[in-house]
């Protein structure tokens, strides 16, 4: 029986714009996505039959509703595989935070089972399969930095923005992505961010001008429901962040810092106020096999 170990990084959005609503209710988006150095460890161990999920986070379901289990079921069904799999998830990415925790776990299972069961699927085929599980799954297969269009599933990989220091704060509550999108009035978005300008400024290390072009149109919606997010942004600002923003539908918020040492110092200080503070940096890869095979 084989086993494989993977690293599944979370993601933030440098920009998140909603450009329309489709007749099927999904929103058309333009997002500049970024992998970060905060990851879950996933171990896949082959067994005789079925799908079993084990994990260390109380908020994460361990039944068939877990996105990792759904990914395994998809592979079994698509390729007529009768062998079973045990999925062990060591969670570090906060759950329901806007950091794509479930999506990156699903992406890791797709990539891991592709290797474990010798399916020979390309990254683009894995990303295509992942779309059925969630709009963020394709990005998590590629990772690094990418522009996402459509409902977030059409990915254009960009030269990765690597090694940018961030301080991430997760307030002590979760947010439902669906309810945030439901509350958004698409025709009343006051300011649309510009992902291309934000990308160019980040690539040039010009963090001061970022404020004008970075932006997340869901931020105001979530702040309306949870004003604490505004306070967290103010704290990050005060701690010296060049710019602060909520990621995805929230509620996690990040601040961009020019120097790693400065970010570290700010994170230490903020830990006396908030219990979930992470000092991370941007990275160039998505899900990766760390033991037992290769992508
Ligand atoms: P999304 O934007 O897709 O809603 P998110 O990044 O904000 O996701 P997740 O950590 O993926 O948040 O959690 C969203 C919901 O998915 C949670 O309510 C959680 O119970 C459920 N979930 C299912 N599988 C997983 C998983 N493997 N890891 C984390 N959450 C999961």
């Amino acid at each position: 029986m084989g086993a494989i170990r993977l690293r599944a990084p979370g993601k933030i959005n440098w920009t998140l714009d909603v450009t329309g609503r489709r007749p099927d209710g999904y929103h058309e988006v333009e997002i500049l996505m970024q992998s970060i150095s905060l990851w879950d460890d996933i171990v896949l161990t082959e067994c005789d039959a079925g799908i079993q999920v084990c994990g260390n986070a109380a908020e994460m379901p361990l039944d068939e509703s877990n996105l990792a289990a759904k990914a395994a079921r998809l592979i079994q069904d698509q390729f007529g595989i009768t062998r079973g799999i045990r999925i062990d998830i060591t969670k570090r990415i906060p759950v329901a935070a806007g950091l794509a925790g479930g999506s990156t776990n699903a992406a890791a299972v797709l990539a891991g089972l592709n290797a474990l069961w010798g399916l020979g699927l390309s990254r683009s085929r894995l990303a295509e399969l992942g779309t059925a599980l969630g709009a963020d799954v394709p990005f998590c297969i590629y990772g690094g930095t990418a522009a996402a269009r459509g409902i977030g599933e059409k990915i254009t990989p960009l030269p990765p923005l690597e090694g940018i220091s961030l301080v991430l704060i997760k307030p002590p509550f979760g947010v439902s992505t669906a309810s945030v999108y439901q509350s958004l009035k698409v025709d009343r978005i006051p300011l649309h961010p510009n992902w291309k300008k934000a990308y160019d400024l980040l690539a040039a290390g010009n963090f001061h001008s970022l404020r004008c072009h970075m932006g997340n149109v869901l931020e105001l919606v979530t702040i309306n429901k949870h004003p604490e997010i505004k306070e967290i942004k103010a704290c990050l600002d005060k701690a010296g962040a060049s710019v602060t923003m909520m990621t995805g539908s929230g509620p996690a918020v990040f601040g961009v810092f020019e120097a790693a040492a400065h970010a570290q110092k700010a994170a230490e200080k903020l830990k006396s106020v908030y219990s979930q503070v992470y000092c991370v940096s941007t990275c160039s890869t998505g899900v990766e096999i760390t033991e037992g095979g290769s992508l």
Side-chain angles (χ1 to χ4, degrees), residues 59-61 65-67 91 94-102 105 177:
E59 312 94 310
M60 178 177 70
S65 71
N66 192 297
L67 266 184
K91 257 227 171 276
V95 176
L99 296 164
N105 291 175
T177 302

Side-chain angles (χ1 to χ4, degrees), residues 11 40 42 53 59-61 65-69 89 91 93-106 134-136 175-178 181 247-251:
K11 75 143 178 50
D40 295 339
I42 311 258
V53 182
E59 312 94 310
M60 178 177 70
S65 71
N66 192 297
L67 266 184
I89 305 175
K91 257 227 171 276
I93 303 169
V95 176
L99 296 164
S103 302
T104 191
N105 291 175
D136 281 347
V175 157
S176 147
T177 302
Y181 271 101
T247 178
S249 53

Side-chain angles (χ1 to χ4, degrees), residues 32 36 39 47 67 78 84 108 111 135 183 193 234 236 277:
L32 183 58
I36 56 170
W39 60 78
C47 58
L67 266 184
Q78 284 267 329
S183 307
L236 281 162
V277 179

